[in-house]
Amino acid sequence: MNLTDFNAFIKSSFGNLVDQFKENDEYGFNNPLSQEIIRVGFTTNLTPDVIRRAADNKVQFIITHHDAWGFLYGVKEQCMRDLRENEISHFYIHLPLDFVEFGTCNSLLQEIGIIKKIQQTHYKNNKEIIGIGEYYESITFEELVERITNSLGEDVKTWKNSNLPIKRVGVLTGAGNSTDLIRQAKEAKCDVYITGEKSLYSVQYAKFIGMNLIVGSHTFTEVFGVKALVERLKTQFNEIETIYLEEEHVE
């Protein structure tokens, strides 16, 4: 596989989402090289630590959900230097991966045992619309907390604001801490809302409307979407090796 092959794969996998969202703002390449790619590493974020781990594993191409953040002053510049020095190419894909059928939200729902999808997460009128899934049989809030804790491999923050059993689950991975999103979950009659960040306002609003709230980390609520993308890539190009470049639980 080379980057031309990979670019064609992205366009076929994401369809009109690559036209809906702007390249370089929401997806794109860093340090694109023309070499044949055999070893592919993947994770959620691009950081100097991730690049170092990739270099140690002789990875030629890194796929992440996020590009290096420009507002972490100096980090993006260091990442660009490290990619060039180690002759590693990088591709990031943000909002298209959040809203594609196999992406971050549906992958997390599937990870916690939800097969029945009620609503596909999407982007409409400049607004994020949450994903919704249902269990075939209700479970307790405590059982759901245990499932997501085991899936993410980290302690999650929880607010039990209702004693009702859990069947319908609303989710927006990553920075889904907006009260608008929690209201969507309430209006859709969700029993719980899951996301990857919180604020004072999200916690207060969830309590006010009686919405159970579970908050994991931004990084690990979204990694399953990257994993799903890489698994699809491996199916199409079975000669490649894929390596999970696991990040620290720092959030």
Side-chain angles (χ1 to χ4, degrees):
M1 182 187 76
N2 57 39
L3 292 188
T4 301
D5 298 327
F6 178 78
N7 201 35
F9 162 80
I10 289 297
K11 289 181 178 179
S12 66
S13 297
F14 288 90
N16 63 6
L17 287 171
V18 295
D19 299 319
Q20 182 178 358
F21 298 104
K22 188 176 179 182
E23 187 172 1
N24 297 324
D25 284 346
E26 295 297 338
Y27 65 96
F29 292 95
N30 288 312
N31 196 41
L33 301 173
S34 59
Q35 62 183 324
E36 192 71 13
I37 296 166
I38 298 297
R39 294 177 71 82
V40 176
F42 68 95
T43 195
T44 305
N45 304 294
L46 183 70
T47 66
D49 286 343
V50 164
I51 298 171
R52 191 174 307 113
R53 194 166 292 119
D56 289 344
N57 285 278
K58 300 184 175 8
V59 164
Q60 300 161 287
F61 185 38
I62 301 172
I63 300 173
T64 65
H65 187 38
H66 302 134
D67 193 7
W69 303 108
F71 48 80
L72 300 183
Y73 303 113
V75 170
K76 186 174 176 87
E77 292 78 5
Q78 183 64 55
C79 285
M80 297 308 104
R81 288 193 293 270
D82 292 347
L83 289 171
R84 289 192 295 269
E85 180 180 330
N86 290 285
E87 297 183 338
I88 298 173
S89 300
H90 168 245
F91 179 79
Y92 60 93
I93 185 154
H94 187 218
L95 289 185
L97 187 60
D98 285 331
F99 301 125
V100 73
E101 183 274 331
F102 61 84
T104 55
C105 291
N106 278 353
S107 293
L108 180 58
L109 288 172
Q110 184 172 328
E111 183 68 22
I112 59 174
I114 293 176
I115 306 300
K116 184 180 179 182
K117 305 301 188 302
I118 304 299
Q119 176 172 283
Q120 170 66 36
T121 182
H122 60 284
Y123 197 75
K124 182 179 180 181
N125 298 327
N126 295 317
K127 289 177 58 178
E128 294 174 306
I129 308 300
I130 66 171
I132 300 172
E134 274 189 2
Y135 286 109
Y136 288 113
E137 295 184 2
S138 297
I139 63 174
T140 67
F141 181 74
E142 290 75 19
E143 286 173 320
L144 177 56
V145 170
E146 183 178 4
R147 288 187 186 192
I148 196 165
T149 297
N150 291 338
S151 292
L152 302 186
E154 62 189 7
D155 292 331
V156 297
K157 300 175 179 67
T158 67
W159 291 264
K160 187 177 181 179
N161 296 317
S162 167
N163 289 319
L164 294 173
I166 305 297
K167 186 171 186 181
R168 179 168 288 200
V169 177
V171 62
L172 194 79
T173 57
N177 57 339
S178 163
T179 53
D180 290 338
L181 298 170
I182 300 173
R183 182 169 64 173
Q184 286 182 33
K186 179 67 172 180
E187 291 175 345
K189 302 187 185 316
C190 293
D191 302 307
V192 63
Y193 177 66
I194 300 172
T195 188
E197 289 192 8
K198 72 172 183 69
S199 68
L200 169 63
Y201 319 111
S202 51
V203 174
Q204 286 184 329
Y205 184 60
K207 180 179 179 180
F208 175 70
I209 63 173
M211 175 60 63
N212 291 314
L213 179 63
I214 299 176
V215 180
S217 67
H218 195 137
T219 295
F220 288 92
T221 57
E222 298 202 305
V223 73
F224 303 109
V226 190
K227 180 182 178 184
L229 174 61
V230 170
E231 286 173 348
R232 292 170 68 94
L233 182 68
K234 174 70 174 173
T235 298
Q236 183 156 335
F237 301 98
N238 55 24
E239 73 276 11
I240 66 171
E241 301 173 42
T242 61
I243 300 169
Y244 176 33
L245 305 171
E246 186 171 1
E247 300 178 68
E248 290 183 81
H249 291 265
V250 297
E251 299 168 65

